[in-house]
């Protein structure tokens, strides 16, 4: 079964930085788009950034100029570099990827378990 494992969350002061990682493993044939979403308490999950296999990126307006998404196809890993963090960035961050598994004839979207990011002084 395909697995996405996130790491890198934590507590950071306003203006600080964090780098999230998400590694995909098990039965992977190919990975298309990979992305990051977040969900704050009492709010719906929202897209933060997405990156295609060839490296094309898209960002939510609220993170443009502060966050950078990247990926390492050889490691099946996607990253989110978060700079100039604000208290309103506090949320659980989820990794999402469009993956085709060896046992499947088509791709499907998979989610990580989420990692907490808290921005507070």
């Amino acid at each position: 079964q395909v697995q996405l494992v996130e790491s890198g969350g934590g507590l950071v002061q306003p203006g600080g930085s964090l780098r999230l990682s998400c590694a995909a493993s098990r039965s992977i044939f190919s990975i298309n788009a990979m992305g990051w979403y977040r969900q704050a308490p009492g709010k719906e999950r929202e897209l933060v950034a997405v990156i295609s296999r060839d490296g094309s990126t898209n960002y939510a307006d609220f993170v443009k100029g502060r966050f950078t998404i990247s990926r390492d196809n050889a490691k099946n890993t996607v990253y989110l570099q978060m700079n100039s963090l604000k208290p309103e960035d506090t949320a659980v961050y989820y990794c999402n990827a469009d993956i085709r598994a060896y046992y499947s004839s088509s791709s499907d979207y998979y989610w990580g378990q989420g990692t907490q990011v808290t921005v507070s002084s």
Side-chain angles (χ1 to χ4, degrees):
Q1 182 72 6
V2 171
Q3 187 177 36
L4 296 177
V5 178
E6 298 132 337
S7 60
L11 172 64
V12 63
Q13 291 186 343
S17 298
L18 281 175
R19 189 192 194 208
L20 306 182
S21 299
C22 172
S25 61
R26 300 184 182 176
S27 304
I28 295 172
F29 179 77
S30 63
I31 303 178
N32 300 315
M34 305 183 81
W36 291 94
Y37 289 71
R38 71 185 188 185
Q39 188 167 19
K43 295 187 177 182
E44 294 186 353
R45 192 172 297 188
E46 59 185 357
L47 176 67
V48 175
V50 63
I51 184 168
S52 67
R53 182 169 179 81
D54 65 4
S56 300
T57 59
N58 275 297
Y59 296 91
D61 287 343
F62 53 78
V63 301
K64 284 182 179 178
R66 299 189 298 125
F67 292 8
T68 302
I69 189 170
S70 60
R71 64 190 285 174
D72 184 333
N73 290 333
K75 296 181 178 179
N76 292 332
T77 299
V78 62
Y79 306 96
L80 186 68
Q81 178 66 43
M82 304 185 294
N83 299 328
S84 302
L85 282 161
K86 306 175 181 179
E88 51 264 44
D89 293 319
T90 296
V92 178
Y93 283 71
Y94 295 91
C95 172
N96 175 266
D98 181 17
I99 298 173
R100 181 183 168 188
Y102 280 109
Y103 49 77
S104 177
S105 59
S106 62
S107 65
D108 201 354
Y109 286 94
Y110 294 85
W111 291 93
Q113 80 285 358
T115 184
Q116 177 69 46
V117 171
T118 302
V119 184
S120 176
S121 55

